[in-house]
Amino acid sequence: MRARAADAEGFIEHDGVRIHYEVFGTGETTILLMPTWTIIHKRFWKGQIPYLARHHRVVAYDGPGNGRSDRPLDPRAYDQDAHTAYALKVLDATGTGAAVLVGLSMAATWAIDLAAHHPARVGGVALIGPTAPVPPASIARAHTPPMDAEPPTMPSSRVPVLAPDPDEHWAKYNRAYWRQHYDDFLWFFLGQCFPEPHSTKQIEDGVGWGRQTSAEVLVAASHGTWPATAAFTEWCRRVTCPVLLIHGDDDRVSPAGRSQTIAELTGGRLVTLHGGGHIPLARDPVQVNLLIQEFVQQLAPRTPAPRTWTRWNRRTKRVLYLSSPIGLGHARRDAAIAAELRRLHPDVAIDWLAQHPVTRVLEDAGEQVHPASRWLANESAHIEGEAGEHDLHCFEALRRMDEVLLANFMVFHDVVHDGAYDLVVGDEAWEVDHFLHENPELKRFAYAWLTDFVGYLPMPDAGPREALVAADYNAEMIEHIARYPRIRDRAIFIGDPEDVIEGTFGPGLPRIRDWTRQHYAFAGYATGFDPAAVADRAALRAELGYRPDEQVCVVTVGGSGVGAALLHRVVDAYGAAARRVPGLRMIVITGPRIDPASIRPAPGLDIRPYVPDLHRHLAACDLAVVQGGLTTCMELTATGRPFLYIPLQHHFEQNLHVPHRLDRYRAGRRLDYHDLTPEVLAEAIAAEIGRTTAYRPVATDGPQRAARLLAELL
């Protein structure tokens, strides 16, 4: 899922080559995000577009050879003059008089050419890791291998995960190798682009984009014209607009000296990213976004808005609360914790940065949703798009949500930059936790992190690749905490130490439970309601309209649309279950993201789109059939109700973390979806409905304990 869809799109044509462009936003200043080497396409700007388009108008286009543009094999389509013509025609087609040009690597020559020869069309130039023929010539020669060198006879046999050996540069960077071993070259080259540790996702993205073109296209592009050093130097001296250079000093594709030279020739500003590689806009996107935004703002200064500053002793205590939208259980427990926090600090003001369907729960609870929430990219929609039939490769879905998470962090950044918050609480706000550790200078508030599981775990059938990458993600998190323990002023585990799964984070990494004990405070489980308030089941059933003689089975699959397949399969089993259970009444709750009209009505089926007080129905029922999310399962455990849970296939939390906790409480009966025929489900319903349970008791003071831990930070 894209974090932001284009507002307009189209094609231009130049010398028979069609070039695709997209337009985002409506700001006064237009930013033209230029293509780079044809090995990747305009999706490499995915980390910049959502943020920049909230503040400006953004135009991006695919160069020839990849993306939605044509893939010509005529080298003239890749000439210097052709590239400048593509840019000018995109500006014309989008009604852009002048734009700020932002380019990566090879786009440097096209951007400087435009600024030198079409100054009225260029308001500024920002170059990232520029690859250009600058003096001294030795810089260019060192990174321009002979294109016609003979390649090795066989490609590398290793699994490319981290950056390859730089010594392979001369052996693989040539046309013959591209033609014979194109896929291996992709892994090699993208590995060179990302020497930073823990760059598996960025490398995989680049390889995937590279597979959308071909070796023959790269060969054709390599024969395109390239400006001579003297010509490019003269162009740089003619540039009159402001210039920004961003370059990593560990760039293994284009040496940082190129940016220094261009800065000297143009009078531009150079920002060196210490430890950064060739594509920092993907590996350090927050920093690059902020540098581009600062540069563009300085080009068009505006009259400052009126501002109010409040003395310390007149400031209200303010909290910004983020609640994960992946499951409504987070919202219920967070609302309960917030209520307890207000009891401890009656003067506290709490804003919520949240998205649908969490906003539905918060509005029902009378909470204040921050207006910037409308800018958040929907995480639930992304997860639904990743899911199959009751199947969600959760770890991979989270990895592929990187664009959404980055866009949402940038919204968060703007909110906390403009608002004087004393405390930020992030309940599994993955983007905030990750990017604050990556950009520790942005932390200007107390910060508390909440979660009910620790550790990415590979699924047993996922193979060695997922095991390696999951361990790499865990290692990065562990390194973050070790290097910057001050980022998390408090890490709170919603549960007890025994609820943390055993095992290790990966080969050579700590044991999960031991590490969690050292780095977390434990609040006990927080159900979001007081089980004593629903203990009188007879009175509760009468209040909810359930007859004493009917057997009530509640079916609920969470707040996203991922559980739709399970919901339909349970409904299909209703007839067989009703024959085994006299007086069976099945309450089917579709939730806010599943269309209730998709359920075919039948006698005995009660279809409800949304139930704000779901925990009361669960406490009153004789049996519940649920998906396998922790919150709903623990609510049923707390009220002692029998339940069947069917985890999403390949969902590591539902298949590994949640069953571990439920086994500790001796709660629930697990079923596997692939065995779930109507007869099997009907038999399980008949066996479990109304059964007397003997679960371990669930603590009832979790919200109070969590609130006390938060209150200390105020």
Side-chain angles (χ1 to χ4, degrees):
M1 174 184 158
R2 298 180 67 168
R4 174 162 183 154
D7 298 310
E9 62 178 317
F11 291 88
I12 60 97
E13 185 173 326
H14 176 72
D15 285 348
V17 178
R18 288 184 6 125
I19 298 294
H20 183 260
Y21 66 83
E22 294 177 317
V23 182
F24 307 82
T26 58
E28 294 181 7
T29 300
T30 296
I31 298 173
L32 182 67
L33 300 177
M34 304 184 72
T36 184
W37 189 25
T38 194
I39 200 169
I40 56 178
H41 52 71
K42 63 176 173 290
R43 287 286 285 141
F44 75 87
W45 292 115
K46 67 179 183 176
Q48 285 64 55
I49 288 172
Y51 172 64
L52 295 176
R54 283 197 291 109
H55 300 278
H56 312 285
R57 180 173 178 261
V58 176
V59 177
Y61 66 102
D62 290 315
N66 209 330
R68 296 178 62 184
S69 292
D70 289 347
R71 287 155 174 71
L73 297 181
D74 184 345
R76 290 175 297 179
Y78 304 93
D79 283 349
Q80 175 74 25
D81 290 346
H83 272 288
T84 56
Y86 300 142
L88 289 170
K89 287 194 173 183
V90 168
L91 292 177
D92 291 341
T94 57
T96 305
V100 178
L101 310 184
V102 182
L104 167 69
S105 190
M106 290 186 69
T109 64
W110 313 326
I112 292 296
D113 188 351
L114 288 165
H117 299 109
H118 303 274
R121 307 300 298 272
V122 181
V125 175
L127 301 179
I128 304 167
T131 298
V134 300
S138 59
I139 294 177
R141 280 202 305 270
H143 287 263
T144 308
M147 287 288 107
D148 295 312
E150 286 297 318
T153 56
M154 293 293 292
S156 171
S157 60
R158 60 177 162 70
V159 177
V161 175
L162 304 178
D165 185 348
D167 292 340
E168 297 177 71
H169 191 88
W170 291 88
K172 295 187 175 184
Y173 200 91
N174 62 79
R175 301 180 185 109
Y177 197 87
W178 300 347
R179 287 185 166 118
Q180 295 180 31
H181 309 299
Y182 182 62
D183 206 64
D184 188 71
F185 173 72
L186 293 177
W187 285 105
F188 157 73
F189 178 73
L190 272 302
Q192 290 292 301
C193 290
F194 295 103
E196 302 93 337
H198 314 298
S199 296
T200 56
K201 181 58 169 63
Q202 291 78 20
I203 294 172
E204 288 172 16
D205 278 349
V207 170
W209 297 330
R211 286 171 175 165
Q212 296 178 39
T213 187
S214 67
E216 291 304 322
V217 168
L218 262 62
V219 169
S222 72
H223 286 289
T225 60
W226 182 259
T229 299
F232 183 76
T233 300
E234 178 59 26
W235 296 352
C236 287
R237 291 194 174 112
R238 291 179 60 176
V239 172
T240 57
C241 66
V243 176
L244 170 68
L245 285 305
I246 303 171
H247 215 126
D249 65 1
D250 194 19
D251 189 331
R252 301 178 187 180
V253 174
S254 183
R258 284 177 169 155
S259 279
Q260 182 175 352
T261 300
I262 294 172
E264 293 170 355
L265 291 170
T266 62
R269 176 193 177 204
L270 172 61
V271 176
T272 300
L273 304 182
H274 185 52
H278 186 55
I279 312 183
L281 57 97
R283 197 59 188 85
D284 291 296
V286 172
Q287 185 60 217
V288 171
N289 287 351
L290 296 178
L291 286 170
I292 294 173
Q293 171 68 350
E294 178 188 38
F295 177 66
V296 176
Q297 284 182 320
Q298 291 173 349
L299 297 178
R302 299 178 181 178
T303 302
R307 179 183 173 189
T308 300
W309 182 83
T310 305
R311 294 199 73 247
W312 67 272
N313 61 336
R314 300 292 297 275
R315 295 187 183 186
T316 302
K317 294 188 176 87
R318 300 188 65 204
V319 173
L320 183 66
Y321 211 127
L322 295 89
S323 182
S324 171
I326 312 302
L328 289 178
H330 294 275
R332 288 195 291 271
R333 78 180 179 206
D334 290 333
I337 292 170
E340 293 298 330
L341 185 59
R342 289 190 182 96
R343 291 190 180 94
L344 297 171
H345 286 282
D347 60 337
V348 72
I350 301 178
D351 292 337
W352 296 79
L353 191 61
Q355 55 191 270
H356 184 78
V358 169
T359 49
R360 179 83 176 263
V361 176
L362 296 176
E363 288 162 0
D364 289 343
E367 296 288 351
Q368 174 67 40
V369 177
H370 196 288
S373 297
R374 70 186 185 277
W375 297 113
L376 295 172
N378 195 286
E379 297 174 25
S380 292
H382 167 83
I383 294 296
E384 291 165 14
E386 292 280 338
E389 182 182 338
H390 203 68
D391 193 358
L392 176 64
H393 290 258
C394 183
F395 175 61
E396 290 302 326
L398 288 171
R399 294 184 76 218
R400 285 190 287 267
M401 197 161 66
D402 57 339
E403 175 182 355
V404 171
L405 293 177
L406 173 60
N408 290 346
F409 178 82
M410 299 309 301
V411 174
F412 165 81
H413 169 270
D414 287 355
V415 169
V416 295
H417 183 270
D418 296 335
Y421 289 102
D422 299 280
L423 170 65
V424 169
V425 182
D427 185 351
E428 295 186 10
W430 306 104
E431 71 278 22
V432 171
D433 197 69
H434 175 80
F435 287 113
L436 282 182
H437 282 93
E438 295 269 301
N439 302 270
E441 68 279 359
L442 298 182
K443 180 175 181 279
R444 49 192 292 182
F445 38 76
Y447 168 60
W449 161 257
L450 276 66
T451 188
D452 53 34
F453 78 92
V454 177
Y456 294 113
L457 301 177
M459 293 301 297
D461 63 348
R465 173 74 184 182
E466 182 167 298
L468 187 149
V469 175
D472 188 60
Y473 271 58
N474 289 331
E476 181 180 50
M477 180 272 296
I478 291 169
E479 292 170 22
H480 277 162
I481 303 303
R483 176 61 183 87
Y484 290 107
R486 66 178 177 82
I487 297 297
R488 294 180 178 178
D489 294 285
R490 183 135 291 161
I492 301 174
F493 186 83
I494 305 298
D496 300 311
E498 296 75 21
D499 294 322
V500 181
I501 200 165
E502 289 281 14
T504 70
F505 286 105
L509 298 175
R511 297 193 65 79
I512 297 174
R513 186 179 294 178
D514 293 343
W515 186 89
T516 305
R517 281 179 180 271
Q518 295 171 9
H519 294 90
Y520 278 78
F522 294 86
Y525 196 74
T527 59
F529 67 94
D530 181 3
V534 294
D536 189 342
R537 289 189 63 241
L540 183 60
R541 286 172 67 93
E543 182 182 345
L544 296 175
Y546 299 154
R547 299 191 310 272
D549 61 336
E550 63 183 354
Q551 300 271 34
V552 177
C553 175
V554 173
V555 184
T556 178
V557 293
S560 75
V562 174
L566 173 61
L567 202 68
H568 285 88
R569 188 162 289 195
V570 177
V571 169
D572 290 343
Y574 172 73
R579 288 191 292 273
R580 291 168 173 81
V581 181
L584 177 63
R585 179 181 178 186
M586 186 173 281
I587 312 295
V588 180
I589 302 169
T590 62
R593 296 187 65 84
I594 299 176
D595 184 4
S598 66
I599 307 294
R600 185 166 57 189
L605 284 179
D606 186 346
I607 303 168
R608 305 187 184 186
Y610 175 68
V611 178
D613 53 352
L614 177 60
H615 68 279
R616 303 178 76 240
H617 292 266
L618 294 175
C621 74
D622 299 287
L623 176 70
V625 181
V626 301
Q627 180 175 267
L630 180 63
T631 302
T632 303
C633 290
M634 287 301 293
E635 288 178 353
L636 290 160
T637 302
T639 54
R641 306 317 305 143
F643 64 96
L644 304 170
Y645 71 101
I646 303 94
L648 285 163
Q649 299 169 100
H650 298 104
H651 191 305
F652 73 89
E653 184 187 1
Q654 292 190 7
N655 282 276
L656 301 171
H657 288 281
V658 173
H660 166 79
R661 193 180 302 222
L662 295 180
D663 287 347
R664 191 172 87 83
Y665 282 92
R666 301 188 294 270
R669 175 180 169 184
R670 177 174 176 170
L671 299 176
D672 291 327
Y673 184 78
H674 61 78
D675 296 330
L676 213 62
T677 65
E679 291 72 24
V680 167
L681 187 52
E683 288 291 345
I685 290 173
E688 295 293 320
I689 197 163
R691 181 175 65 85
T692 301
T693 63
Y695 303 155
R696 290 185 55 160
V698 177
T700 60
D701 61 346
Q704 293 89 337
R705 291 167 62 185
R708 285 196 294 271
L709 291 168
L710 296 178
E712 294 172 2
L713 302 179
L714 288 174

